[in-house]
PDB file of all heavy atoms in Angstrom:
ATOM      1  N   THR A 489      80.905  82.963  58.778  1.00 49.00           N
ATOM      2  CA  THR A 489      80.972  82.761  57.327  1.00 49.00           C
ATOM      3  C   THR A 489      80.276  81.489  56.856  1.00 49.00           C
ATOM      4  O   THR A 489      80.325  81.162  55.685  1.00 49.00           O
ATOM      5  CB  THR A 489      82.445  82.696  56.864  1.00 49.00           C
ATOM      6  OG1 THR A 489      83.080  81.566  57.477  1.00 49.00           O
ATOM      7  CG2 THR A 489      83.194  83.955  57.216  1.00 49.00           C
ATOM      8  N   ARG A 490      79.596  80.774  57.750  1.00 55.00           N
ATOM      9  CA  ARG A 490      79.165  79.417  57.426  1.00 55.00           C
ATOM     10  C   ARG A 490      78.129  79.330  56.308  1.00 55.00           C
ATOM     11  O   ARG A 490      77.989  78.275  55.692  1.00 55.00           O
ATOM     12  CB  ARG A 490      78.630  78.727  58.681  1.00 55.00           C
ATOM     13  CG  ARG A 490      77.401  79.363  59.297  1.00 55.00           C
ATOM     14  CD  ARG A 490      77.062  78.694  60.621  1.00 55.00           C
ATOM     15  NE  ARG A 490      75.987  79.401  61.312  1.00 55.00           N
ATOM     16  CZ  ARG A 490      75.606  79.118  62.543  1.00 55.00           C
ATOM     17  NH1 ARG A 490      76.225  78.156  63.220  1.00 55.00           N
ATOM     18  NH2 ARG A 490      74.636  79.791  63.122  1.00 55.00           N
ATOM     19  N   THR A 491      77.384  80.398  56.035  1.00 54.00           N
ATOM     20  CA  THR A 491      76.415  80.340  54.936  1.00 54.00           C
ATOM     21  C   THR A 491      76.874  81.099  53.696  1.00 54.00           C
ATOM     22  O   THR A 491      76.124  81.217  52.736  1.00 54.00           O
ATOM     23  CB  THR A 491      75.056  80.919  55.396  1.00 54.00           C
ATOM     24  OG1 THR A 491      75.236  82.286  55.790  1.00 54.00           O
ATOM     25  CG2 THR A 491      74.486  80.110  56.542  1.00 54.00           C
ATOM     26  N   SER A 492      78.100  81.608  53.696  1.00 62.00           N
ATOM     27  CA  SER A 492      78.601  82.383  52.568  1.00 62.00           C
ATOM     28  C   SER A 492      79.459  81.517  51.661  1.00 62.00           C
ATOM     29  O   SER A 492      79.808  80.377  51.987  1.00 62.00           O
ATOM     30  CB  SER A 492      79.428  83.567  53.070  1.00 62.00           C
ATOM     31  OG  SER A 492      80.684  83.122  53.544  1.00 62.00           O
ATOM     32  N   THR A 493      79.820  82.065  50.511  1.00 61.00           N
ATOM     33  CA  THR A 493      80.650  81.319  49.561  1.00 61.00           C
ATOM     34  C   THR A 493      82.100  81.205  50.021  1.00 61.00           C
ATOM     35  O   THR A 493      82.905  80.570  49.354  1.00 61.00           O
ATOM     36  CB  THR A 493      80.593  81.976  48.173  1.00 61.00           C
ATOM     37  OG1 THR A 493      80.956  83.369  48.290  1.00 61.00           O
ATOM     38  CG2 THR A 493      79.211  81.867  47.574  1.00 61.00           C
ATOM     39  N   SER A 494      82.432  81.828  51.145  1.00 64.00           N
ATOM     40  CA  SER A 494      83.767  81.660  51.733  1.00 64.00           C
ATOM     41  C   SER A 494      83.734  80.715  52.926  1.00 64.00           C
ATOM     42  O   SER A 494      84.703  80.620  53.672  1.00 64.00           O
ATOM     43  CB  SER A 494      84.340  83.018  52.158  1.00 64.00           C
ATOM     44  OG  SER A 494      83.521  83.605  53.153  1.00 64.00           O
ATOM     45  N   ALA A 495      82.615  79.998  53.104  1.00 84.00           N
ATOM     46  CA  ALA A 495      82.464  79.087  54.236  1.00 84.00           C
ATOM     47  C   ALA A 495      83.561  78.027  54.232  1.00 84.00           C
ATOM     48  O   ALA A 495      83.991  77.557  53.178  1.00 84.00           O
ATOM     49  CB  ALA A 495      81.096  78.425  54.198  1.00 84.00           C
ATOM     50  N   SER A 496      83.982  77.635  55.421  1.00 90.00           N
ATOM     51  CA  SER A 496      85.079  76.675  55.530  1.00 90.00           C
ATOM     52  C   SER A 496      84.741  75.348  54.867  1.00 90.00           C
ATOM     53  O   SER A 496      85.603  74.717  54.236  1.00 90.00           O
ATOM     54  CB  SER A 496      85.439  76.454  56.997  1.00 90.00           C
ATOM     55  OG  SER A 496      84.337  75.960  57.729  1.00 90.00           O
ATOM     56  N   THR A 497      83.476  74.906  54.977  1.00 93.00           N
ATOM     57  CA  THR A 497      83.100  73.614  54.379  1.00 93.00           C
ATOM     58  C   THR A 497      83.204  73.656  52.867  1.00 93.00           C
ATOM     59  O   THR A 497      83.628  72.680  52.239  1.00 93.00           O
ATOM     60  CB  THR A 497      81.679  73.216  54.805  1.00 93.00           C
ATOM     61  OG1 THR A 497      81.600  73.196  56.234  1.00 93.00           O
ATOM     62  CG2 THR A 497      81.319  71.836  54.267  1.00 93.00           C
ATOM     63  N   LEU A 498      82.840  74.776  52.259  1.00 93.00           N
ATOM     64  CA  LEU A 498      82.930  74.891  50.803  1.00 93.00           C
ATOM     65  C   LEU A 498      84.384  74.880  50.344  1.00 93.00           C
ATOM     66  O   LEU A 498      84.735  74.205  49.364  1.00 93.00           O
ATOM     67  CB  LEU A 498      82.235  76.173  50.335  1.00 93.00           C
ATOM     68  CG  LEU A 498      82.195  76.424  48.826  1.00 93.00           C
ATOM     69  CD1 LEU A 498      81.611  75.232  48.092  1.00 93.00           C
ATOM     70  CD2 LEU A 498      81.383  77.683  48.519  1.00 93.00           C
ATOM     71  N   VAL A 499      85.241  75.595  51.046  1.00 93.00           N
ATOM     72  CA  VAL A 499      86.667  75.598  50.703  1.00 93.00           C
ATOM     73  C   VAL A 499      87.250  74.205  50.900  1.00 93.00           C
ATOM     74  O   VAL A 499      88.025  73.709  50.067  1.00 93.00           O
ATOM     75  CB  VAL A 499      87.428  76.627  51.562  1.00 93.00           C
ATOM     76  CG1 VAL A 499      88.914  76.620  51.213  1.00 93.00           C
ATOM     77  CG2 VAL A 499      86.854  78.033  51.354  1.00 93.00           C
ATOM     78  N   ALA A 500      86.861  73.543  51.992  1.00 95.00           N
ATOM     79  CA  ALA A 500      87.356  72.194  52.268  1.00 95.00           C
ATOM     80  C   ALA A 500      86.875  71.208  51.203  1.00 95.00           C
ATOM     81  O   ALA A 500      87.631  70.317  50.783  1.00 95.00           O
ATOM     82  CB  ALA A 500      86.899  71.742  53.649  1.00 95.00           C
ATOM     83  N   TYR A 501      85.635  71.363  50.769  1.00 96.00           N
ATOM     84  CA  TYR A 501      85.089  70.495  49.711  1.00 96.00           C
ATOM     85  C   TYR A 501      85.892  70.640  48.421  1.00 96.00           C
ATOM     86  O   TYR A 501      86.262  69.635  47.793  1.00 96.00           O
ATOM     87  CB  TYR A 501      83.621  70.847  49.465  1.00 96.00           C
ATOM     88  CG  TYR A 501      83.033  70.222  48.222  1.00 96.00           C
ATOM     89  CD1 TYR A 501      82.579  68.906  48.219  1.00 96.00           C
ATOM     90  CD2 TYR A 501      82.918  70.958  47.042  1.00 96.00           C
ATOM     91  CE1 TYR A 501      82.044  68.335  47.067  1.00 96.00           C
ATOM     92  CE2 TYR A 501      82.385  70.399  45.889  1.00 96.00           C
ATOM     93  CZ  TYR A 501      81.949  69.087  45.910  1.00 96.00           C
ATOM     94  OH  TYR A 501      81.431  68.530  44.765  1.00 96.00           O
ATOM     95  N   ASN A 502      86.161  71.854  48.013  1.00 95.00           N
ATOM     96  CA  ASN A 502      86.925  72.081  46.783  1.00 95.00           C
ATOM     97  C   ASN A 502      88.339  71.495  46.901  1.00 95.00           C
ATOM     98  O   ASN A 502      88.860  70.913  45.944  1.00 95.00           O
ATOM     99  CB  ASN A 502      86.995  73.580  46.469  1.00 95.00           C
ATOM    100  CG  ASN A 502      85.649  74.139  46.062  1.00 95.00           C
ATOM    101  OD1 ASN A 502      84.803  73.423  45.512  1.00 95.00           O
ATOM    102  ND2 ASN A 502      85.419  75.416  46.321  1.00 95.00           N
ATOM    103  N   PHE A 503      88.945  71.655  48.082  1.00 96.00           N
ATOM    104  CA  PHE A 503      90.265  71.063  48.315  1.00 96.00           C
ATOM    105  C   PHE A 503      90.208  69.538  48.217  1.00 96.00           C
ATOM    106  O   PHE A 503      91.049  68.906  47.557  1.00 96.00           O
ATOM    107  CB  PHE A 503      90.769  71.483  49.698  1.00 96.00           C
ATOM    108  CG  PHE A 503      91.890  70.635  50.242  1.00 96.00           C
ATOM    109  CD1 PHE A 503      93.193  70.790  49.785  1.00 96.00           C
ATOM    110  CD2 PHE A 503      91.635  69.661  51.209  1.00 96.00           C
ATOM    111  CE1 PHE A 503      94.228  69.999  50.289  1.00 96.00           C
ATOM    112  CE2 PHE A 503      92.663  68.873  51.711  1.00 96.00           C
ATOM    113  CZ  PHE A 503      93.965  69.038  51.243  1.00 96.00           C
ATOM    114  N   LEU A 504      89.205  68.954  48.863  1.00 97.00           N
ATOM    115  CA  LEU A 504      89.087  67.494  48.894  1.00 97.00           C
ATOM    116  C   LEU A 504      88.821  66.923  47.499  1.00 97.00           C
ATOM    117  O   LEU A 504      89.368  65.873  47.137  1.00 97.00           O
ATOM    118  CB  LEU A 504      87.965  67.095  49.846  1.00 97.00           C
ATOM    119  CG  LEU A 504      87.779  65.611  50.127  1.00 97.00           C
ATOM    120  CD1 LEU A 504      89.038  65.016  50.741  1.00 97.00           C
ATOM    121  CD2 LEU A 504      86.580  65.392  51.048  1.00 97.00           C
ATOM    122  N   MET A 505      88.020  67.607  46.710  1.00 97.00           N
ATOM    123  CA  MET A 505      87.704  67.124  45.366  1.00 97.00           C
ATOM    124  C   MET A 505      88.927  67.165  44.459  1.00 97.00           C
ATOM    125  O   MET A 505      89.068  66.349  43.547  1.00 97.00           O
ATOM    126  CB  MET A 505      86.565  67.950  44.758  1.00 97.00           C
ATOM    127  CG  MET A 505      85.213  67.704  45.423  1.00 97.00           C
ATOM    128  SD  MET A 505      84.637  65.998  45.225  1.00 97.00           S
ATOM    129  CE  MET A 505      84.367  65.951  43.441  1.00 97.00           C
ATOM    130  N   ALA A 506      89.832  68.107  44.705  1.00 96.00           N
ATOM    131  CA  ALA A 506      91.019  68.256  43.853  1.00 96.00           C
ATOM    132  C   ALA A 506      92.189  67.410  44.333  1.00 96.00           C
ATOM    133  O   ALA A 506      93.201  67.305  43.634  1.00 96.00           O
ATOM    134  CB  ALA A 506      91.433  69.731  43.806  1.00 96.00           C
ATOM    135  N   LEU A 507      92.050  66.795  45.496  1.00 97.00           N
ATOM    136  CA  LEU A 507      93.161  66.083  46.115  1.00 97.00           C
ATOM    137  C   LEU A 507      93.405  64.731  45.440  1.00 97.00           C
ATOM    138  O   LEU A 507      92.468  63.944  45.246  1.00 97.00           O
ATOM    139  CB  LEU A 507      92.856  65.871  47.595  1.00 97.00           C
ATOM    140  CG  LEU A 507      93.981  65.359  48.502  1.00 97.00           C
ATOM    141  CD1 LEU A 507      95.148  66.335  48.533  1.00 97.00           C
ATOM    142  CD2 LEU A 507      93.432  65.149  49.920  1.00 97.00           C
TER     143      LEU A 507
END
Side-chain angles (χ1 to χ4, degrees):
T489 63
R490 63 187 173 188
T491 60
S492 74
T493 54
S494 62
S496 60
T497 304
L498 182 53
V499 179
Y501 168 81
N502 291 332
F503 162 77
L504 186 60
M505 290 297 294
L507 190 61

